Amino acid sequence: MELAEKSKGELSTATISKAETDPSYNPKLTTFIKFYKIMDISFEEIVATLEGTADDK
């Protein structure tokens, strides 16, 4: 719900739920950018996560 509130209507709760629960979810680039903008995470950390090189915190 927090992401839905932060997105201010940019992302639907259904989209957020799918991203959180479906490991095969592959959003469009525009949706990915919307997620990136509302999350408190650096671009470098996202890239590291996608590449599988992120440090476990």
Side-chain angles (χ1 to χ4, degrees), residues 25-27 32 41 43-54:
Y25 177 63
N26 189 12
F32 178 80
I41 186 171
F43 183 74
E44 291 78 13
E45 191 171 347
I46 289 174
V47 171
T49 299
L50 293 172
E51 292 177 339
T53 59

Side-chain angles (χ1 to χ4, degrees), residues 6-19:
K6 284 183 175 182
S7 78
K8 299 178 182 170
E10 289 284 321
L11 296 168
S12 70
T13 53
T15 297
I16 294 168
S17 177
K18 187 169 185 165

Side-chain angles (χ1 to χ4, degrees), residues 10-43:
E10 289 284 321
L11 296 168
S12 70
T13 53
T15 297
I16 294 168
S17 177
K18 187 169 185 165
E20 292 177 336
T21 60
D22 183 356
S24 65
Y25 177 63
N26 189 12
K28 295 179 186 177
L29 181 58
T30 54
T31 303
F32 178 80
I33 291 169
K34 289 175 185 177
F35 271 109
Y36 165 71
K37 286 182 176 180
I38 63 170
M39 296 175 67
D40 186 22
I41 186 171
S42 71
F43 183 74

